[in-house]
Amino acid sequence: MQTEKNTNNTNEYKPYFDLLDTMQGGMNMYGAPSKLRQLHPELGKRESVDVVAGWMQSKTTDNA
């Protein structure tokens, strides 16, 4: 069930993930939730942290 939730979040957060991929080379990604909130004011603090955590997890887990 956890995998299904992660898949849904990945699809929902895809536009943010694309932005995070772009930002990755130019900043410390621990500051990414704050930057996401600046660029997308509709995101709350918790959701921006969840987006970045999901993005980081997508980079470290095998998607096979």
Side-chain angles (χ1 to χ4, degrees):
M1 175 115 58
Q2 183 69 17
T3 303
E4 182 178 324
K5 182 178 179 186
N6 287 343
T7 302
N8 290 341
N9 284 345
T10 300
N11 292 335
E12 177 183 350
Y13 295 153
K14 174 121 175 58
Y16 303 121
F17 283 16
D18 292 342
L19 178 60
L20 289 166
D21 285 337
T22 302
M23 291 171 26
Q24 185 176 12
M27 66 177 288
N28 180 327
M29 295 309 287
Y30 288 106
S34 176
K35 189 65 171 177
L36 276 178
R37 287 192 309 277
Q38 288 176 355
L39 296 171
H40 295 279
E42 72 276 6
L43 290 175
K45 184 174 184 176
R46 181 72 240 172
E47 188 173 18
S48 67
V49 170
D50 289 345
V51 169
V52 173
W55 175 80
M56 287 181 176
Q57 184 178 18
S58 77
K59 298 299 181 187
T60 59
T61 57
D62 183 29
N63 292 327

